[in-house]
């Protein structure tokens, strides 16, 4: 798909914004049955860190796969079926 990179970029941006929104809400929203803000809750800290890690890993994987394939194309090679499958999976 020619739109794969665009759609992947939009998805990564939405994920990043969702994490930012969660962090903003967690600054003031208290944990259930507590006066402590969510941001001070260990479980929330772990889950936000995990979300950041997943986002970073997805972005890195996409850049790596796309960069590898695009370099071969720029050098004059045609993408193989395996290349196209890897690229679509990365998207």
């Amino acid at each position: 798909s020619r739109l794969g990179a665009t759609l992947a970029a939009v998805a990564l941006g939405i994920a990043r914004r969702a994490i930012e929104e969660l962090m903003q809400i967690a600054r003031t929203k208290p944990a259930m049955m507590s006066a402590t803000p969510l941001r001070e809750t260990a479980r929330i800290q772990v889950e936000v860190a995990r979300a950041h890690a997943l986002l970073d890993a997805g972005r890195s994987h996409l850049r790596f796969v796309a960069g590898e394939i695009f370099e071969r194309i720029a050098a004059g090679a045609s993408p193989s079926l395996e290349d196209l499958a890897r690229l679509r999976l990365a998207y």
Side-chain angles (χ1 to χ4, degrees), residues 3-15 55 58-59 62 87 90-91:
L3 295 175
T6 303
L7 295 175
V10 169
L12 290 169
I14 290 170
L55 177 60
R59 183 183 297 120
L62 176 58
L87 192 55
Y91 288 157

Side-chain angles (χ1 to χ4, degrees), residues 25-26 28-44:
I25 290 168
T28 57
K29 184 171 177 64
M32 189 179 300
M33 312 264 295
S34 173
T36 305
L38 283 172
R39 72 175 178 186
E40 295 177 23
T41 305
R43 185 176 62 86
I44 297 300

Side-chain angles (χ1 to χ4, degrees), residues 49-65:
R50 183 172 295 155
H52 273 290
L54 288 169
L55 177 60
D56 290 346
R59 183 183 297 120
S60 293
H61 178 67
L62 176 58
R63 285 182 177 171
F64 175 78
V65 171

Side-chain angles (χ1 to χ4, degrees), residues 8-22:
V10 169
L12 290 169
I14 290 170
R16 181 185 49 77
R17 180 60 187 257
I19 294 168
E20 290 171 358
E21 290 294 324
L22 173 61

